[in-house]
């Protein structure tokens, strides 16, 4: 799997397939209720490849593929690996809350400096918030590492379905 770079939140790739979009979509469809590890849903040229619910965990990734037909009857697939949308929304919410708390603590600290009061408590608050940000970053990296085997399963599923014309 060749990704654009290593330190990315949502790894992306492009793949050119020597067949029309309709055939790619047909090959990627899975039958609901089968014992497969993979589940696909397709909507207007957007293909979502996910791990089945039985094997899914909090860090499980999904693969979003955008398909575009080229002039020479080939298909350009633009893939993006991403976390579970619920987990992603939760992490972003926590980051925005921490940013708001950090800003509030910084304003409180500045106000205490201007007034001549003790800045100990707001500075401790800002340090704790920075430590929480670092903890969230580490937790996110660990989650990404835990999701990597399933990401490979999703990519191998895609490769197996579209590589043989």
């Amino acid at each position: 799997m060749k990704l654009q770079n290593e330190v990315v939140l949502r790894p992306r790739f492009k793949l050119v397939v020597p067949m029309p979009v309709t055939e790619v979509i047909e090959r990627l469809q899975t039958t609901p209720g089968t014992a497969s590890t993979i589940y696909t849903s397709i909507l207007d040229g957007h293909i979502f490849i996910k791990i089945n619910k039985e094997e899914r965990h909090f860090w499980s990734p999904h693969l979003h593929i955008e398909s575009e037909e080229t002039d020479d009857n080939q298909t350009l697939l633009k893939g993006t690996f991403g976390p579970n949308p619920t987990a992603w929304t939760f992490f972003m919410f926590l980051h925005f809350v921490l940013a708001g708390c950090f800003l509030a603590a910084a304003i409180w600290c500045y106000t205490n400096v201007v007034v001549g009061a003790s800045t100990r408590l707001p500075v401790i608050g800002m340090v704790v918030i920075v430590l929480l940000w670092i903890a969230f970053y580490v937790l996110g990296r660990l989650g990404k590492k835990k999701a990597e085997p399933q990401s490979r399963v999703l990519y191998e599923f895609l490769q197996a379905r579209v590589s043989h014309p």
Side-chain angles (χ1 to χ4, degrees):
M1 171 180 351
K2 184 178 180 200
L3 303 176
Q4 292 175 352
N5 66 36
E6 283 298 312
V7 185
V8 290
L9 293 174
R10 300 179 59 184
R12 301 171 192 280
F13 65 91
K14 289 182 182 178
L15 188 64
V16 177
V17 180
M19 60 184 82
V21 171
T22 53
E23 188 176 343
V24 169
I25 288 174
E26 190 176 294
R27 286 174 173 232
L28 290 175
Q29 285 181 335
T30 57
T31 307
T34 60
S36 175
T37 311
I38 306 294
Y39 168 78
T40 60
S41 57
I42 300 168
L43 180 64
D44 295 332
H46 293 269
I47 305 159
F48 300 93
I49 304 176
K50 303 174 186 177
I51 301 294
N52 268 343
K53 288 183 181 179
E54 295 81 27
E55 298 181 35
R56 200 177 304 163
H57 53 75
F58 183 76
W59 298 107
S60 288
H62 75 274
L63 176 56
H64 171 227
I65 298 173
E66 196 175 326
S67 58
E68 297 176 10
E69 192 150 354
T70 61
D71 294 334
D72 50 353
N73 207 25
Q74 293 184 334
T75 302
L76 173 64
L77 299 177
K78 297 177 185 176
T80 305
F81 287 98
N84 178 341
T86 306
W88 180 258
T89 304
F90 178 66
F91 253 64
M92 288 298 99
F93 172 75
L94 289 177
H95 281 285
F96 284 120
V97 166
L98 283 178
C101 290
F102 186 85
L103 187 59
I107 292 169
W108 183 20
C109 185
Y110 175 75
T111 304
N112 284 358
V113 167
V114 170
V115 175
S118 172
T119 59
R120 181 182 304 165
L121 202 53
V123 169
I124 289 172
M126 289 191 301
V127 169
V128 167
I129 290 168
V130 168
L131 291 175
L132 283 172
W133 259 326
I134 292 169
F136 284 157
Y137 175 77
V138 169
L139 191 61
R141 295 297 289 183
L142 290 174
K144 185 176 177 182
K145 188 168 285 245
K146 185 171 177 152
E148 189 175 336
Q150 287 184 336
S151 295
R152 293 203 183 284
V153 167
L154 294 175
Y155 189 74
E156 288 166 4
F157 170 83
L158 172 68
Q159 285 287 78
R161 295 284 178 109
V162 298
S163 64
H164 300 90

